[in-house]
Amino acid sequence: MTNSIGEIPGAGAILIIGSNTSETHPVISYRVREAVQNGAALIVADPRVTEMAKLADYHLRLRPGTDVALLNGLMHIIIAEDLLDVDFIEKRTEGFEKLKEKVAEYTPERVSEITGVAVSDLRAAARAYAAAESAAILYTMGITQHTTGTDNVLSVANLAMLTGNMGKPSAGVNPLRGQNNVQGACDMGALPNVYTGYQKVGDPQVQEKFSKAWGVPLSDKPGLTVTKSMDAIFDGRIKGMLIMGENPILSEANANHAGEALERLEFLVVQDIFMTETAAYADVVLPAASYAEQLGSYTNTERRVQLSCPAVPPPGEARADWEILTDLAKRLGLDWSYSGSEAIFNEMASLTPSYAGMSYSRLADEKSLQWPCPDSKHPGTPYLHVGKFSRGLGQFTPVDYKPPAELPDGEYPFVLSTGRHIFHYHTGTMTRRSVPLEQHRPEEFVEIHPEDAAKLGLAEGDPAQISSRRGEVVARVTLTERVKPGHVFMTFHYHEAAANLLTNDALCPVAATPEFKVCAVNVRKAG
Amino acid sequence: MSAIKLTIDGRPVEVEPGTTILEAARKLGIDIPTFCHDPELAPNGACRICVVEVERARALVASCCAPVAPDMVVHTESERVVKARKAILRLILANHPLDCITCEKTGQCKLQDYCYRYGISESDFEGEVKELPLDDTNPFYIRDMNKCILCGRCVGRCQEINGAGAIDFIGRGFSTIVGPAFGDPIEESSCVFCGMCVDVCPVGALIPKAGVGKGRPWEVEKVKTICPYCGTGCSIYLHVKDGRIIGASPDFEGPVNRGHLCSKGRFGWDFVHSEERLTRPLIKKDGVFVEASWDEALDLVAEKVRDLLNRYGPDSLMGLSSAKTSNEDNYLFQKLMRSLGTNNVDHCARL
Ligand code: SF4
Ligand code: SF4
Ligand code: SF4
Ligand code: FES
């Protein structure tokens, strides 16, 4: 997030696009509600009638996968009606003319055609967003999980810059990260092209710094992304895999493909807290301590680093991941020794400018710190891009709407979107082993519009077979007007009805994110 | 605007205009009892236990609702005040079940604390005790409306903060209760089981199921953790007794959550003690997992990794790090992969 969660209640307008906030980030949805109580205009762009959509002043019920067209349409109106922040555009950005040309093509009428949102709603939403003193955009996977995911993110940034909503409180572009430490994993360099703090592996100075600090030679060639690595197993480039606490079998699009890939590996080691669907494929499984059993730091979606303390001992012989990794590194001839997680944090901070001013004692005394925090006197940074962007001028990047890779047809007439509900989390590794959560929501219910259900002879709770070009699952349906006719929705929490057997592993070409939000399926009564 | 000067229990204090008497007193460390007051909600003045005497005012005033005024002179424990509070407590007690010995709330119940403070052991009122059935069909918490003192904090949290609007005051007079419309069980309401009502209930009317019979508040150690679920980063106290987690509560000073949680953080911690946790290293032999020692398992991993490095080079390895584990774990994971000579490291952030 460019801005902080605590600033949301101060926003004059909030645009939520592709985020079912009240289910995926409930506590953030409380802040949105607070903003609305304070008088903020709320605009929600979502194909489904989510709780946030019900709260919204303007619900833009767009067709799945038409986000870029919608955002271009909003910008078209803002420019046409002269609601832009000229001063900000002149002083802080470049490429405006190109953007203007591009969005000129997206007249409200054309956008309405593509998205299914009424022209009057487009206009009202654009005006409400542009009129606010500070307006915040919140988005989640609904934006990134498309073949056009990177375009979507660029579009969101275009809109924020056009209205000068960067570098000030209660504004900005705010991706709500899905997992507790996604932000931290990225910050720590668990990415194929960067070390900690997004320092590029291809930069010779960076390479030399890390090489010297770690006492080993390092490669300057960017590595493979998780999704690409699955293909690389098939063509024989990847032979062995180490997996720590992830369950790609359930979380990767086209799960069948991921399973076959893991089977082909010469060697797979998984360290995790449970025998996950992925661990079952491993040659060696190492028992890890859970979050409640070790001291460590986590970085939330607003770049806030916090310490989590050990509450109970790990079960049996389970050990903290860092201890396992240290022991393995020693066996592989690396000269590693750490007295504890604090020593690791200190080494990391010494190599990472954005974390350089942080230490366990500061995190304990000050409760939390938001990066960048470059030195030990720095209070941390609640919002980014004040006065200038990290690259200097903010770049407008015109983007065109492209339809999703797979659209419904005669054989597969429905659009399937996947997501989450509030009681389970991700692939359910943890929540489905929580007694109250599992008791409360033990099975998948596919959301389908009552009209569609009637045509298919489906009643509430009936089992249905959902099939795509990649696989099929059986799950019960719930009849609801949350989805439009022609649209069905499933979560990916349940391995017995794994939605990712159906989803399309077509990738966004830049970010390599699978298109989870749109694929074509057929639905019929089962059994 | 300039600060307002007033005197509370003989001590001078200066506060911003708009401050309530309650807040001004707290600034001096004076503890005025409250039931219904919630710093995050609009005051509802329901319970009146917070009354104080203001000189030259005719009636006692509810300190949680009344703003300070210049040169106000306030007495928080005067004879009149104490008498009024005792009367309120006796009234509540008149129809409150007296099963404190086994009540889960014992030790952190405001009703108990204030009765103790004002020496109330029984009620002179011949009250009618309610006999409502427990609402315990949901797996998260028990609602015992016989113990409810109708302070309304749960209703406010549910409507104003969560927005679920699952509960409200229903009925009138003596038969008023808080709950879902038509007296339905909470499981059939729009409740999303965030537990925020449970965490502010001053008495034993809302009790988390997981901890029932497992330990008293004073036996429990509270350990601060960060929620392992979504990226919001709520801070949560895990309640630990004898090496087991028996409950959780929000950190009211949490920099992100300010005492708020959702169902996963509030009730979803028990997977930590699942029977299915992995407790020993496992090596697959002929298709089945066999338990092994750490040395055996790690030696085998090291041998296999070295073998692949020798035969195919470092780029034949791929490492998947985790968006669930700590920064320290992630740092070491990428350091390991890179030290072996490959940048093939990623995690499931995109998913
Ligand atoms: S648990 Fe949350 S949603 Fe349910 S009644 Fe309490 S406050 Fe409302
Ligand atoms: S249930 Fe508890 S919080 Fe709710 S009104 Fe009754 S006493 Fe107050
Ligand atoms: S309590 Fe809920 S909102 Fe807070 S971090 Fe956990 S899952 Fe996210
Ligand atoms: S606490 Fe003031 S009226 Fe209840």
Side-chain angles (χ1 to χ4, degrees), chain B residues 33-37 45-50 62 64:
Chain B
T34 61
F35 284 126
C36 70
H37 171 70
C47 77
R48 303 203 49 89
I49 196 74
C50 67
C64 72

Side-chain angles (χ1 to χ4, degrees), chain A residues 30 180-181 189-191 221 224 226 239 242 266 280 283 300 317 331 338 347 360 422 434-435 511, chain B residues 229 231-232 261 264 270 279 282 284 295 299 311-312 315-316 320 325 328 331 335 338 344 346-347 350:
Chain A
Y30 308 159
N180 61 333
N181 207 33
L191 290 169
K221 189 179 116 210
L224 297 172
V226 48
K239 302 285 188 188
L242 277 66
E266 285 192 26
D283 299 288
N300 80 348
E317 294 176 19
R331 282 175 163 81
Y338 294 104
E347 176 181 309
Y360 270 26
I422 193 169
S434 163
V435 175
Chain B
Y229 292 111
T232 305
L261 291 176
K264 293 181 286 292
D270 58 321
T279 56
L282 302 170
K284 202 180 260 169
D295 278 337
D299 284 345
R311 284 196 290 146
Y312 308 108
D315 285 333
S316 68
L320 278 190
T325 61
E328 293 76 5
Y331 172 76
K335 179 177 176 183
R338 295 195 154 111
N344 285 342
D346 198 1
H347 65 284
R350 298 184 181 86

Side-chain angles (χ1 to χ4, degrees), chain A residues 472-489:
Chain A
E472 59 178 58
V473 301
V474 173
R476 297 212 274 164
V477 295
T478 181
L479 279 43
T480 169
E481 293 182 359
R482 276 162 71 93
V483 289
K484 274 194 176 167
H487 187 204
V488 291
F489 175 85

